Amino acid sequence: MNKPAPSDPAARPAKPSGQPSPPSDKDIASTRALLRVFMLLLLGTLLGTSFPLPWKVLGLVFGLAAVTVGIIALVGLVRQKAPTLLRISTTVGLVASLFLTLGAGATILLWPVTEQYEECTATALTSKAQRECDEDLRNLGGLLGVHSPSVERVSPWSTS
């Protein structure tokens, strides 16, 4: 019996406005936590790829996790209409983690070549020996079947 009049604003269903609702504090907190984890994983990827071979696998694992968490964080930032600078910096971090992950994956795919290069550089005492190690790496340790000329170049002014 006590029904509100149809002209009463409380009785009418809310019309959807053209603007989305602002993100909740819970959404903001979860995105902030994802960004922190993403930065730590990116740092772990960077450090992991600089270790010698058995530990380079950690770089790949951290890299895959960083790419995954970075994508989730970026989606959250876009949904929340976060500041442009934050979205751009997250995208740059995502691209960096992608490149580091691809590099770590290539290093692990070429495990024997990488292992041979790391052993060679660890025992190289002279710059000539270091150049030979680098040249061997460029040829992928002989996997390409390309034999480049010796690293030591002959001077065009020599008589021999």
Side-chain angles (χ1 to χ4, degrees), residues 72-157:
I72 294 169
L74 187 60
V75 167
L77 289 172
V78 170
R79 283 187 181 163
Q80 295 172 11
K81 296 194 182 342
T84 305
L85 185 61
L86 189 57
R87 287 185 278 174
I88 289 173
S89 61
T90 304
T91 303
V92 169
L94 192 56
V95 169
S97 65
L98 187 64
F99 278 118
L100 286 169
T101 303
L102 290 174
T107 301
I108 291 170
L109 277 175
L110 298 170
W111 187 291
V113 176
T114 306
E115 189 173 39
Q116 180 183 355
Y117 175 73
E118 287 178 353
E119 289 173 5
C120 182
T121 56
T123 59
L125 298 176
T126 63
S127 59
K128 178 183 176 189
Q130 181 66 43
R131 285 192 306 266
E132 288 174 357
C133 293
D134 292 341
E135 189 64 32
D136 194 36
L137 179 65
R138 282 188 202 98
N139 294 330
L140 295 178
L143 287 178
L144 295 178
V146 177
H147 298 291
S148 62
S150 174
V151 174
E152 191 175 295
R153 304 282 191 255
V154 177
S155 171
W157 295 283

Side-chain angles (χ1 to χ4, degrees), residues 10 12 83:
R12 283 184 266 154

